[in-house]
Amino acid sequence: MSTSERLIESTRELLWERGYVGTSPKAILERAGAGQGSMYHHFKGKPDLALAAIRRTAEEMRATAAGVLDGPGTPYQRIEAYLRRERDVLRGCPVGRLTMDPDVIASAELRAPVDETLDWIRERIAGLVEEGKTQGQFAPSLDGGEIAAAVVATVQGGYVLARASGSPAAFDAGVRGLLSLLAPRPA
């Protein structure tokens, strides 16, 4: 792995663990096993490196979500697969946690990949709901955008509740509750 790759990966991990303020250039260099000048050789500084790390995290999250949302099955089954996919619930969402970071939210540039990712997931789920409505799987009165917002809120809120309680049970309960509300109507 190249030095710039090690710097990006180290920054991704540290942002997830410590947030932007807690991610010092020194900690990044130590985690990456890189020399002092290497960050500035590859990046303009911490904000530039953080942006590269956030973009990479966002791309990875979209790819993982696409793997289940664009996968096989009915619209309900694909939403279910998204909600039930393997997650490190107690660590929280690497993208969602960035919304709690005042430095990331204060920067339009750092916030953009976060917003784009959450918007992409909502749009994809809304599309599945609309597809399910045309197939008669979901009630015609459901609003795809509202259901998509509820799915994202359940996932992000589930992370918060799980971290607060130290147990994934709250996340799992939220997922089960939402899925029971979305369960396809009998034919």
Side-chain angles (χ1 to χ4, degrees):
M1 188 182 301
S2 71
T3 302
S4 67
E5 281 297 308
R6 289 197 324 269
L7 289 166
I8 291 170
E9 288 303 311
S10 297
T11 303
R12 288 178 64 196
E13 293 167 10
L14 289 164
L15 285 171
W16 196 1
E17 293 166 14
R18 305 178 182 183
Y20 186 84
V21 171
T23 299
S24 68
K26 181 180 179 190
I28 294 167
L29 293 171
E30 284 176 6
R31 176 88 46 113
Q36 199 163 6
S38 62
M39 182 192 309
Y40 299 99
H41 175 73
H42 295 284
F43 301 95
K44 293 177 199 151
K46 178 181 164 183
D48 188 41
L49 177 53
L51 180 59
I54 292 168
R55 281 184 178 145
R56 174 82 51 84
T57 297
E59 288 164 9
E60 195 174 274
M61 186 170 157
R62 280 193 303 272
T64 300
V68 291
L69 294 173
D70 299 338
T74 65
Y76 175 85
Q77 289 168 334
R78 290 184 282 165
I79 293 169
E80 178 182 34
Y82 172 74
L83 286 166
R84 293 190 189 272
R85 76 171 177 76
E86 191 65 35
R87 290 177 165 86
D88 190 350
V89 176
L90 296 180
R91 269 189 94 189
C93 175
V95 170
R97 283 187 65 178
L98 293 169
T99 66
M100 305 303 236
D101 193 312
D103 293 282
V104 171
I105 294 306
S107 165
E109 192 175 31
L110 293 178
R111 190 179 66 242
V114 174
D115 290 343
E116 290 162 9
T117 299
L118 295 174
D119 287 346
W120 181 90
I121 290 171
R122 281 192 300 266
E123 288 168 16
R124 190 69 196 96
I125 292 170
L128 285 173
V129 172
E130 295 305 319
E131 185 182 326
K133 284 169 48 176
T134 62
Q135 295 174 4
Q137 191 174 29
F138 295 133
S141 60
L142 288 184
D143 179 285
E146 290 176 358
I147 298 302
V151 169
V152 172
T154 298
V155 169
Q156 294 303 319
Y159 280 123
V160 171
L161 295 173
R163 286 175 55 83
S165 68
S167 166
F171 184 98
D172 296 339
V175 165
R176 284 192 310 274
L178 180 58
L179 287 171
S180 71
L181 291 172
L182 278 180
R185 304 176 314 154

